Amino acid sequence: FFIHATQTGVGIVGLPRIVYLAAKHDAWISVFLGGLLSAFVLAMMVIMLNKYDSADLYGIQVDVFGKWLGNALNVFYMMYMSISFFVVLMNYIEIVQVWIFPELPTWQIALALILLTIYAVNGGIRIIVGVAFMSVLGTLWMVFILLVPMQYSDPKNLLPLLNTDMKHIINGVYKTSLSLMGFELLMFLYPYVKDKKKLFMYSQIGNLYTTILFTAVTMVCITFFAENGLARTIWPVLSMFKIVRLPNLERFEFIAVSFWMLVILPNMCSYLWAASKGFSRIINWKQKKGIWIIGILVWGGSFFIKARYQMNELTDFVAHLGFLTAFCYPVLLSTLVLVKKWFQRRKKSSAEAS
């Protein structure tokens, strides 16, 4: 539940369009391959974490790189997670303003969501995991809403298969990375997992569900929209909800956008919790103080985003940064940990033999 809830956020709303621009009608293949890539990185993370009894990323980096370089990397990760928290918040606010409340000031929505997140994070990791659990169950019904646009879909839009060259498909995999980010937070959750032997299996199940969901959503969007319609639609998932009609309710997308707060809340809680935890691990401050400091800074940052292009540039920056911090770096760190542990075992065996 934690893995799926942290991976699924505002990214899925625009994912089909972003990947379609890169890989055209084979975009669903890119999304599926992106899920396989995240499964591989997740496996490397779990193998690395299992080499320690109860250590998180903050402790592992100090152990591998030493106190100074390790803590410098820890501060970098704190900043990355704080910016990710800000990007998730601002992207959702933009959706709310476009679809429901165009006149509502950004700072008011930001203040309400940040206070709600701070309230949840102050409750500790059990509350955050509980929020993730409720998020998955509370929004599960939205998956079945995809059956409505499927009635108006044309499967021929998926043909011919693999007509896009591999370069564009790989570019689509790269574009998928922003929406699949979040699983790297497992490196901070690890010390609180009770049965660590089952961590590999359940984390892979969570990632598999995300991969299937994202692939299915992308396929439905490709078959539902006309050839150039998907490229011109900023949030295709929400646009599909516009055709849903219920008794006494014409604008179903209002309900979808409102319920989407349950989807992004675990994202914000997890990023804020992991970032604020660095205050107690690095500079020996209380974590609650760090929660409020990050919350106030993020709220202050909401005043500086005045135009959509600014949010797009920041989102793209975090996407590029996230690919390095969530996909590339954990593989490198896992390799370094495995090599270090191997040398330690060899040295210990040589000492015992002598």
Side-chain angles (χ1 to χ4, degrees):
F1 287 98
F2 180 83
I3 293 294
H4 174 67
T6 51
Q7 285 182 311
T8 309
V10 289
I12 190 177
V13 178
L15 172 69
R17 171 183 175 268
I18 294 172
V19 185
Y20 180 81
L21 291 174
K24 299 303 177 183
H25 62 276
D26 284 330
W28 67 273
I29 299 176
S30 295
V31 175
F32 183 74
L33 292 176
L36 295 182
L37 176 62
S38 62
F40 168 74
V41 177
L42 197 55
M44 291 294 291
M45 283 183 189
V46 175
I47 292 173
M48 174 187 68
L49 291 169
N50 284 335
K51 296 299 180 181
Y52 295 89
D53 293 330
S54 187
D56 59 8
L57 182 63
Y58 291 129
I60 293 174
Q61 291 189 139
V62 171
D63 178 61
V64 174
F65 299 108
K67 180 180 178 181
W68 295 106
L69 180 57
N71 281 327
L73 290 170
N74 289 339
V75 172
F76 168 77
Y77 252 90
M78 285 176 60
M79 295 174 61
Y80 156 69
M81 289 182 292
S82 299
I83 296 174
S84 297
F85 170 52
F86 178 72
V87 167
V88 172
L89 172 72
M90 295 303 296
N91 273 284
Y92 178 68
I93 290 175
E94 183 181 18
I95 293 174
V96 171
Q97 290 175 329
V98 170
W99 288 85
I100 305 181
F101 301 116
E103 302 298 329
L104 193 61
T106 300
W107 69 268
Q108 291 184 7
I109 311 177
L111 181 62
L113 290 174
I114 290 172
L115 289 176
L116 179 62
T117 306
I118 290 175
Y119 176 71
V121 174
N122 273 323
I125 189 62
R126 288 181 180 271
I127 301 299
I128 295 171
V129 175
V131 170
F133 176 75
M134 292 303 299
S135 169
V136 176
L137 291 187
T139 57
L140 190 62
W141 61 272
M142 297 180 72
V143 177
F144 298 99
I145 301 299
L146 291 175
L147 296 174
V148 178
M150 284 178 64
Q151 300 174 17
Y152 307 96
S153 299
D154 184 6
K156 293 180 181 178
N157 290 343
L158 296 174
L159 301 175
L161 293 176
L162 296 174
N163 191 45
T164 309
D165 60 80
M166 189 55 63
K167 177 183 177 181
H168 289 87
I169 290 178
I170 293 175
N171 187 31
V173 173
Y174 177 72
K175 296 293 185 181
T176 309
S177 62
L178 175 61
S179 298
L180 288 172
M181 280 180 355
F183 62 89
E184 71 275 12
L185 293 171
L186 180 67
M187 293 186 288
F188 300 93
L189 181 71
Y190 180 74
Y192 302 92
V193 177
K194 184 178 181 180
D195 194 350
K196 294 180 172 56
K197 293 181 180 179
K198 296 181 179 179
L199 182 66
F200 182 88
M201 179 179 67
Y202 286 121
S203 61
Q204 291 293 339
I205 290 174
N207 181 75
L208 177 62
Y209 177 50
T210 305
T211 303
I212 293 174
L213 175 62
F214 282 25
T215 305
V217 169
T218 305
M219 292 180 72
V220 172
C221 286
I222 293 172
T223 57
F224 178 79
F225 290 95
E227 182 175 354
N228 296 320
L230 182 56
R232 294 193 302 264
T233 307
I234 298 176
W235 295 299
V237 176
L238 294 178
S239 296
M240 286 195 304
F241 286 153
K242 292 175 70 174
I243 69 169
V244 179
R245 292 292 182 267
L246 297 176
N248 302 320
L249 182 63
E250 289 189 8
R251 303 299 298 272
F252 178 78
E253 66 271 20
F254 286 6
I255 303 297
V257 171
S258 301
F259 262 89
W260 218 267
M261 189 183 73
L262 284 177
V263 177
I264 61 107
L265 190 59
N267 279 211
M268 295 195 300
C269 290
S270 301
Y271 278 120
L272 179 58
W273 171 77
S276 61
K277 192 171 177 60
F279 280 86
S280 60
R281 297 296 303 275
I282 301 172
I283 55 180
N284 294 323
W285 286 7
K286 289 186 177 180
Q287 185 177 358
K288 291 187 176 181
K289 183 183 293 186
I291 292 171
W292 281 101
I293 290 174
I294 296 174
I296 293 171
L297 289 175
V298 167
W299 183 63
S302 67
F303 288 91
F304 294 94
I305 302 297
K306 301 294 184 180
R308 175 170 174 77
Y309 77 91
Q310 294 175 313
M311 198 63 240
N312 286 342
E313 290 178 355
L314 182 60
T315 302
D316 290 340
F317 170 74
V318 173
H320 298 315
L321 186 64
F323 184 79
L324 296 175
T325 54
F327 285 85
C328 301
Y329 177 70
V331 175
L332 174 62
L333 183 62
S334 300
T335 304
L336 292 176
V337 168
L338 292 176
V339 171
K340 180 179 180 179
K341 294 296 181 181
W342 181 78
F343 273 109
Q344 286 179 343
R345 287 197 304 268
R346 188 176 179 182
K347 185 177 180 181
K348 184 178 180 181
S349 298
S350 300
E352 290 176 351
S354 61

